[in-house]
Amino acid sequence: MNYLSINDINSLHDWVQEAITIKKDPLKDHTLGKDKSIGLLFFNSSLRTRLSTQKAALNLGLNPIVMNFSNEGWALEFEDGTIMDQGKSEHVKEAAQVISQYCDIIAIRAFALLEDKEKDQAEEVLLNFKKYASVPIVNMESSVGHPLQALADAITLAEYNQKKSPKVVLSWAPHPKALPHAVANSFVQMMQLQDAEFVITHPEGYELDPEITKNSKIEYNQEEAFKNADFIYVKNWSSFSDYGQVISKDKNWMIDQPKMNLTNNAKFMHCLPVRRNVIVADEVLDGENSLVIEQANNRTYAAQLVLKKILENE
Amino acid sequence: MNYLSINDINSLHDWVQEAITIKKDPLKDHTLGKDKSIGLLFFNSSLRTRLSTQKAALNLGLNPIVMNFSNEGWALEFEDGTIMDQGKSEHVKEAAQVISQYCDIIAIRAFALLEDKEKDQAEEVLLNFKKYASVPIVNMESSVGHPLQALADAITLAEYNQKKSPKVVLSWAPHPKALPHAVANSFVQMMQLQDAEFVITHPEGYELDPEITKNSKIEYNQEEAFKNADFIYVKNWSSFSDYGQVISKDKNWMIDQPKMNLTNNAKFMHCLPVRRNVIVADEVLDGENSLVIEQANNRTYAAQLVLKKILENE
Amino acid sequence: MNYLSINDINSLHDWVQEAITIKKDPLKDHTLGKDKSIGLLFFNSSLRTRLSTQKAALNLGLNPIVMNFSNEGWALEFEDGTIMDQGKSEHVKEAAQVISQYCDIIAIRAFALLEDKEKDQAEEVLLNFKKYASVPIVNMESSVGHPLQALADAITLAEYNQKKSPKVVLSWAPHPKALPHAVANSFVQMMQLQDAEFVITHPEGYELDPEITKNSKIEYNQEEAFKNADFIYVKNWSSFSDYGQVISKDKNWMIDQPKMNLTNNAKFMHCLPVRRNVIVADEVLDGENSLVIEQANNRTYAAQLVLKKILENE
């Protein structure tokens, strides 16, 4: 069993309920991972993912082995058939097979570089590891998705939702740098598995991959989208069509209290890290409707659920 | 319970005795930290602190989770109300709250940058983590203090002292780079809790923060200060009044054997790392009166005592 | 007991047999290292050594504490008697003594810099740690040798060899950068302890240290060397006589299938990482006679054997 994308969840409802059960007694399965180890391979920075996945592993008695590929290992080649006479010292074919012999599970974080759409869409790092590894692979954020985040978000929604079909809005917000689409993609895919009125709002030109958004409603007027919303989930991403470009930094898209006042006293969500007073005003982030800290807390239980399922499947 | 400074020690005598007891049987409490973890957050380089705190945690059955913030996480913002559209990706408000959910204790190393006296004096990193975290905080050297080092020094003094009131001299020594005041500050504060004849010696202009030194005796003549000393504790620091500047590299202040001969066969102490033949001559550092290796050894028991007290207080 | 070089193996045959026994039941001694720790000090990049040594430690219940010296600690001085007023903050004399107090075993990786033959030959980092440490030292690749790799290679040879005295060929192959001699050196020394027809082949000018190769046969004609070989072990190294220089990048020395066809259906070996289509053609590396993944697997059992022997000797 792998956990590569939201598509690996066979029943979101059941997974969320099981994660909530784990949260009530996180040490219940503390011998499940005994004498096993998980390799956490980081090709990019990480705080929540780094720490929550280690915490989840420890709760299961699984030994975490952390490796920062960028400065601790060798630069990896991913192309087939290349003559490796340049900067890359090792091919992913060997790396993935070899690490599979040292670790019982491999978790990988490798962001989109936003330079080559085709490569990013192919999830070069994640899927090559999956192709050549002989152990389960966990996605700790790939170029296309961040399914551990979206699973934590689903847990948080379940904990705070009080309706049969809440209105949930995914809103773009401005950011000084070009960011990947992974978090937004997985959130969209997760919402498509939920009973909810789901709306995506962003400036024109910021449409996410249509193969991800499918029939999800897009509303270009942010204020219109916010009306009667129960949950506002905010995230910046760069353009997908004009790939990796920042085509707007429109400050009017920042989330502030007047905008939140348009909602049905909505809860505010963000995956963190968040830039204060750029993405969201202090007043909202520090307000009582902000769920961001609880979302981060649920990262542990999302990861622990995934690792538990993998360990039970072995 | 936090361990932020020497002021968090309620009885230095009792703490030192308890640490010496731990040292005799370091594995006695090896299940105290079971199923818990300590996050070790490094904003700066570290050898002794990094390894001894991990060793102390392991002796208590506590899982150490190490994170080098500088290259593994996100650049943190510490100011309130800023528009975060520059290099900083995450505010300490979120970081501290979030990490508190993954780790049962947070230990932090963040040196003085020696660029902004007010910021350094405010212990921006340490105290902001303390402000927003919901778990105990341990100071692994802040801009103002290094209380784990001073506690290890107190243990070492207790082990080697044979008098009711020994003469202990803190001597400045030259160094090519500007260094923080943290070690010297905490040593001074710790000595003020001891029954001792305590003298600080340094060139004029190198006075430490007067709010730290208080009534401690300052003697500008190093040779005069050394007379009849039982312990010589050496450390470089940059100017406090001319903040962060190196105003003297006077080689005459290096500690050599002729100077040690002025003492009462004094023991030599330094927190390490030490620059040989700049701070101290080989003959002294390698001599039989040098306690530097034992000081480093006691770092484990100082950390273990602090972690034990925190775990027992939870 | 230390494991610094192949010379520390008292009986290669017995060690290999014991490692194969460990491989069959790697968790048999899972309490041998209880409450002890091994410090893994990396002065250079590492994938296999980093992960397999941690895996081996965990299999023995030994706590691994990883430290990347280059960016986590202080720049070390190795010379005696220097005035340390330049870039180096700490002398190996203190570092080695101090770390010995925190870790029960110290493992060190420090490559040849290929700039100063005398310093590299003196194994400055490894042997200074050995000189000043008070705990066992393990070589995770020094400037002169990589005995954990060679031990894993010996295990792999034993697993696949079907003859009383197989023909084993160590072949140089081209590489764009100057590489150290450590792997080749230890392989040669290990082969000299085996019953085998051992041949080294490389272009003229690439002779390894004659004090290492001793009477081992050198054949400058690669095709001649390959005839009837049972095992082809490939590795690049820079010139030893013209120290650290790349004096040939002759592509004719790359290993491809036509060359392998000259052999007795030989197994292909390489320590990894390997540059595809530079050192070896895809067809050979991906072929059924390639043992490179199994060699990497045996790194765990080589390390575990060494750590087990050290723990049993304490």
Side-chain angles (χ1 to χ4, degrees):
Chain A
M1 180 193 152
N2 298 305
Y3 188 63
L4 303 175
S5 82
I6 292 297
N7 297 327
D8 290 318
I9 300 176
N10 54 10
S11 163
L12 181 60
H13 177 267
D14 291 353
W15 283 42
V16 166
Q17 291 311 311
E18 192 173 343
I20 290 172
T21 303
I22 289 170
K23 189 175 178 176
K24 287 174 187 155
D25 186 5
L27 297 172
K28 185 169 174 253
D29 299 298
H30 73 283
T31 59
L32 189 60
K34 194 171 174 294
D35 294 325
K36 293 189 174 177
S37 60
I38 178 170
L40 307 183
L41 310 186
F42 290 96
F43 290 82
N44 297 96
S45 290
S46 173
L47 187 157
R48 274 148 290 276
T49 301
R50 181 183 296 274
L51 299 182
S52 66
T53 312
Q54 286 185 71
K55 178 70 176 172
L58 291 169
N59 282 347
L60 294 165
L62 186 64
N63 294 302
I65 298 180
V66 176
M67 182 167 171
N68 297 308
F69 245 81
S70 41
N71 62 352
E72 296 182 343
W74 311 105
L76 289 189
E77 176 65 58
F78 294 94
E79 300 285 341
D80 266 352
T82 42
I83 297 172
M84 291 171 57
D85 58 0
Q86 302 298 314
K88 314 288 182 61
S89 303
E90 174 145 35
H91 201 283
V92 66
K93 281 188 193 181
E94 279 71 57
Q97 291 181 78
V98 164
I99 298 173
S100 298
Q101 299 179 126
Y102 305 142
C103 301
D104 300 282
I105 303 171
I106 299 175
I108 298 168
R109 165 168 279 214
F111 291 172
L113 299 180
L114 299 177
E115 288 163 6
D116 181 331
K117 187 176 190 167
E118 202 179 328
K119 268 193 189 176
D120 285 348
Q121 288 294 100
E123 297 190 281
E124 199 178 49
V125 181
L126 182 74
L127 295 186
N128 271 297
F129 264 94
K130 188 222 161 194
K131 184 173 178 183
Y132 297 111
S134 53
V135 298
I137 300 288
V138 174
N139 181 351
M140 297 197 295
E141 184 171 344
S142 70
S143 45
V144 169
H146 195 354
L148 284 173
Q149 178 66 51
L151 181 54
D153 296 336
I155 299 167
T156 313
L157 283 168
E159 290 178 321
Y160 287 90
N161 179 36
Q162 295 174 337
K163 288 186 177 170
K164 190 173 185 314
S165 181
K167 181 172 180 184
V168 179
V169 178
L170 170 62
S171 178
W172 181 92
H175 193 283
K177 295 198 308 180
L179 295 191
H181 311 90
V183 169
N185 284 346
S186 290
F187 187 78
V188 169
Q189 291 179 304
M190 180 273 289
M191 283 311 302
Q192 290 166 350
L193 303 176
Q194 301 259 22
D195 193 357
E197 182 191 347
F198 179 53
V199 179
I200 308 171
T201 183
H202 52 69
E204 289 192 52
Y206 271 104
E207 290 76 14
L208 292 162
D209 181 356
E211 293 191 25
I212 299 268
T213 53
K214 291 176 181 156
N215 296 325
S216 290
K217 185 178 173 188
I218 297 172
E219 166 61 64
Y220 295 113
N221 182 321
Q222 192 187 34
E223 298 197 352
E224 194 61 33
F226 273 41
K227 283 183 188 162
N228 286 313
D230 297 298
F231 294 90
I232 301 293
Y233 193 102
V234 181
K235 184 72 186 78
N236 171 270
W237 58 85
S238 57
S239 175
F240 182 75
S241 52
D242 192 2
Y243 192 70
Q245 297 305 301
V246 175
I247 59 177
S248 166
K249 296 185 185 180
D250 186 350
K251 292 180 183 177
N252 291 318
W253 279 78
M254 184 181 82
I255 315 302
D256 56 13
Q257 195 54 49
K259 264 177 215 163
M260 291 302 287
N261 291 342
L262 300 170
T263 69
N264 178 30
N265 193 29
K267 300 294 186 188
F268 174 85
M269 299 179 73
H270 189 283
C271 63
L272 305 181
V274 67
R275 286 169 176 256
R276 287 174 167 261
N277 304 311
V278 176
I279 292 280
V280 56
D282 283 339
E283 61 201 16
V284 174
L285 192 61
D286 295 332
E288 59 182 13
N289 279 15
S290 173
L291 301 183
V292 299
I293 303 302
E294 197 55 37
Q295 283 176 266
N297 190 27
N298 284 330
R299 293 293 308 276
T300 300
Y301 309 107
Q304 192 168 334
L305 174 68
V306 168
L307 298 181
K308 178 172 182 276
K309 284 184 173 290
I310 289 172
L311 288 168
E312 288 172 345
N313 261 277
E314 291 309 279
Chain B
M1 181 192 150
N2 298 305
Y3 188 63
L4 304 176
S5 82
I6 291 298
N7 297 326
D8 289 320
I9 301 176
N10 53 11
S11 163
L12 181 60
H13 177 267
D14 290 355
W15 283 43
V16 165
Q17 292 310 312
E18 193 173 342
I20 289 172
T21 302
I22 288 170
K23 189 174 179 176
K24 286 175 187 155
D25 186 6
L27 297 172
K28 184 167 175 256
D29 299 298
H30 73 285
T31 59
L32 189 61
K34 193 169 175 296
D35 294 325
K36 293 189 175 177
S37 61
I38 179 171
L40 308 183
L41 311 186
F42 290 97
F43 291 81
N44 297 96
S45 290
S46 173
L47 188 155
R48 274 149 290 276
T49 301
R50 181 183 296 274
L51 299 181
S52 66
T53 312
Q54 286 185 74
K55 178 69 175 171
L58 291 169
N59 282 347
L60 294 165
L62 185 64
N63 292 302
I65 298 180
V66 176
M67 180 166 173
N68 296 308
F69 245 82
S70 42
N71 62 351
E72 296 183 342
W74 311 104
L76 290 190
E77 174 65 58
F78 293 95
E79 300 284 341
D80 266 353
T82 42
I83 297 171
M84 290 171 56
D85 57 1
Q86 301 300 312
K88 312 288 182 62
S89 303
E90 175 146 33
H91 200 285
V92 67
K93 282 188 192 181
E94 279 71 58
Q97 289 181 78
V98 164
I99 298 172
S100 297
Q101 299 179 126
Y102 306 141
C103 301
D104 300 282
I105 303 171
I106 299 175
I108 298 168
R109 165 168 279 213
F111 290 172
L113 299 180
L114 298 178
E115 288 164 4
D116 182 329
K117 187 177 190 167
E118 203 179 328
K119 270 193 190 174
D120 284 350
Q121 288 294 99
E123 297 191 280
E124 199 178 49
V125 181
L126 182 73
L127 295 187
N128 272 297
F129 265 93
K130 188 223 162 195
K131 184 173 176 183
Y132 297 111
S134 54
V135 297
I137 300 289
V138 174
N139 182 351
M140 296 196 297
E141 185 169 345
S142 70
S143 44
V144 169
H146 195 354
L148 284 173
Q149 178 65 52
L151 181 54
D153 296 336
I155 298 167
T156 313
L157 282 169
E159 290 179 323
Y160 287 89
N161 179 36
Q162 294 174 338
K163 287 187 180 170
K164 189 172 185 317
S165 181
K167 181 174 180 184
V168 179
V169 177
L170 169 62
S171 178
W172 180 93
H175 192 283
K177 295 199 309 179
L179 295 191
H181 311 90
V183 169
N185 284 346
S186 290
F187 187 76
V188 169
Q189 292 179 304
M190 180 274 287
M191 283 310 302
Q192 289 166 351
L193 302 176
Q194 301 258 22
D195 195 357
E197 182 192 346
F198 179 52
V199 179
I200 308 171
T201 183
H202 53 68
E204 290 193 51
Y206 272 104
E207 289 76 14
L208 292 163
D209 182 355
E211 293 189 26
I212 299 268
T213 52
K214 291 177 181 154
N215 295 324
S216 290
K217 184 178 173 186
I218 298 172
E219 165 61 63
Y220 295 113
N221 182 323
Q222 192 186 33
E223 298 199 351
E224 192 62 33
F226 273 42
K227 282 182 188 162
N228 285 312
D230 297 299
F231 293 91
I232 301 292
Y233 194 101
V234 182
K235 183 75 186 78
N236 171 270
W237 58 85
S238 56
S239 176
F240 181 75
S241 52
D242 192 2
Y243 192 69
Q245 298 305 302
V246 174
I247 57 176
S248 165
K249 296 187 185 178
D250 185 352
K251 293 179 181 176
N252 291 319
W253 279 79
M254 184 180 84
I255 315 302
D256 57 12
Q257 195 54 49
K259 264 178 218 167
M260 291 302 286
N261 290 344
L262 299 171
T263 69
N264 178 30
N265 194 29
K267 301 295 184 186
F268 174 85
M269 299 178 73
H270 189 283
C271 64
L272 304 181
V274 68
R275 286 168 177 258
R276 287 174 168 263
N277 304 311
V278 176
I279 293 280
V280 55
D282 283 341
E283 61 200 15
V284 174
L285 193 61
D286 295 333
E288 60 181 14
N289 278 16
S290 173
L291 301 183
V292 299
I293 303 302
E294 196 55 36
Q295 283 176 265
N297 190 27
N298 284 330
R299 292 294 308 275
T300 300
Y301 309 107
Q304 191 167 336
L305 173 67
V306 167
L307 298 181
K308 178 171 183 277
K309 284 183 174 288
I310 288 173
L311 289 168
E312 288 173 343
N313 261 277
E314 293 307 278
Chain C
M1 178 191 153
N2 298 305
Y3 187 64
L4 304 176
S5 83
I6 292 297
N7 297 327
D8 290 319
I9 301 175
N10 54 10
S11 161
L12 180 61
H13 177 268
D14 291 353
W15 283 43
V16 165
Q17 291 311 312
E18 192 172 344
I20 289 172
T21 303
I22 289 171
K23 189 175 179 176
K24 287 174 186 156
D25 185 7
L27 297 171
K28 184 166 175 257
D29 299 298
H30 73 284
T31 59
L32 189 61
K34 193 168 174 296
D35 295 323
K36 293 189 175 178
S37 60
I38 179 171
L40 308 183
L41 310 186
F42 290 97
F43 290 81
N44 298 96
S45 290
S46 172
L47 188 156
R48 276 149 288 276
T49 300
R50 182 184 295 273
L51 299 182
S52 66
T53 312
Q54 286 186 72
K55 179 70 176 171
L58 291 169
N59 282 347
L60 294 165
L62 186 62
N63 293 301
I65 297 181
V66 176
M67 181 168 172
N68 296 308
F69 244 82
S70 41
N71 61 350
E72 295 183 342
W74 310 105
L76 290 189
E77 175 65 58
F78 293 95
E79 299 285 341
D80 267 352
T82 41
I83 298 172
M84 290 171 58
D85 58 359
Q86 302 299 314
K88 314 287 182 62
S89 304
E90 176 146 32
H91 200 284
V92 67
K93 280 188 192 180
E94 278 72 58
Q97 290 181 78
V98 164
I99 298 172
S100 297
Q101 300 179 125
Y102 306 142
C103 301
D104 300 283
I105 303 171
I106 298 175
I108 297 168
R109 165 168 279 213
F111 291 173
L113 299 180
L114 299 177
E115 288 163 6
D116 180 331
K117 187 176 191 167
E118 201 179 329
K119 270 194 190 176
D120 285 350
Q121 288 295 98
E123 297 191 281
E124 199 179 49
V125 181
L126 182 73
L127 295 187
N128 271 297
F129 265 93
K130 189 224 162 194
K131 183 173 178 185
Y132 297 111
S134 53
V135 298
I137 299 289
V138 174
N139 181 351
M140 297 197 296
E141 184 171 344
S142 70
S143 45
V144 170
H146 195 354
L148 284 172
Q149 179 64 52
L151 181 54
D153 296 336
I155 298 167
T156 313
L157 282 169
E159 290 178 322
Y160 287 89
N161 180 36
Q162 294 174 335
K163 287 186 177 171
K164 191 172 184 314
S165 181
K167 181 174 181 185
V168 178
V169 178
L170 169 64
S171 177
W172 181 91
H175 192 282
K177 294 199 309 180
L179 295 191
H181 311 89
V183 169
N185 284 347
S186 290
F187 188 77
V188 169
Q189 291 179 304
M190 180 274 289
M191 284 310 301
Q192 289 167 350
L193 303 176
Q194 302 257 23
D195 193 356
E197 182 191 346
F198 179 53
V199 179
I200 308 171
T201 183
H202 52 69
E204 291 192 52
Y206 272 103
E207 290 76 13
L208 292 162
D209 181 357
E211 292 189 26
I212 299 269
T213 52
K214 289 176 182 157
N215 295 326
S216 290
K217 184 177 175 188
I218 297 171
E219 165 62 65
Y220 295 112
N221 183 323
Q222 192 187 33
E223 300 198 351
E224 193 61 35
F226 273 42
K227 283 182 186 160
N228 286 313
D230 298 297
F231 294 91
I232 301 292
Y233 194 100
V234 181
K235 183 73 187 79
N236 171 270
W237 57 86
S238 56
S239 175
F240 182 76
S241 52
D242 191 1
Y243 192 70
Q245 297 306 301
V246 175
I247 57 177
S248 166
K249 296 186 184 179
D250 186 351
K251 293 179 182 178
N252 291 319
W253 280 78
M254 184 180 83
I255 313 304
D256 56 14
Q257 195 54 50
K259 263 178 219 167
M260 291 302 286
N261 291 342
L262 299 172
T263 70
N264 178 31
N265 193 28
K267 301 295 184 187
F268 174 84
M269 299 177 75
H270 189 282
C271 63
L272 305 180
V274 68
R275 287 168 176 259
R276 286 172 167 264
N277 304 310
V278 177
I279 292 281
V280 56
D282 283 340
E283 62 201 17
V284 174
L285 192 61
D286 296 331
E288 59 182 13
N289 279 14
S290 172
L291 301 183
V292 298
I293 304 301
E294 197 54 36
Q295 283 176 267
N297 190 27
N298 284 331
R299 291 294 307 276
T300 300
Y301 309 107
Q304 191 167 335
L305 173 68
V306 167
L307 297 182
K308 179 173 182 276
K309 283 185 174 289
I310 288 173
L311 288 168
E312 288 172 343
N313 261 277
E314 293 307 281

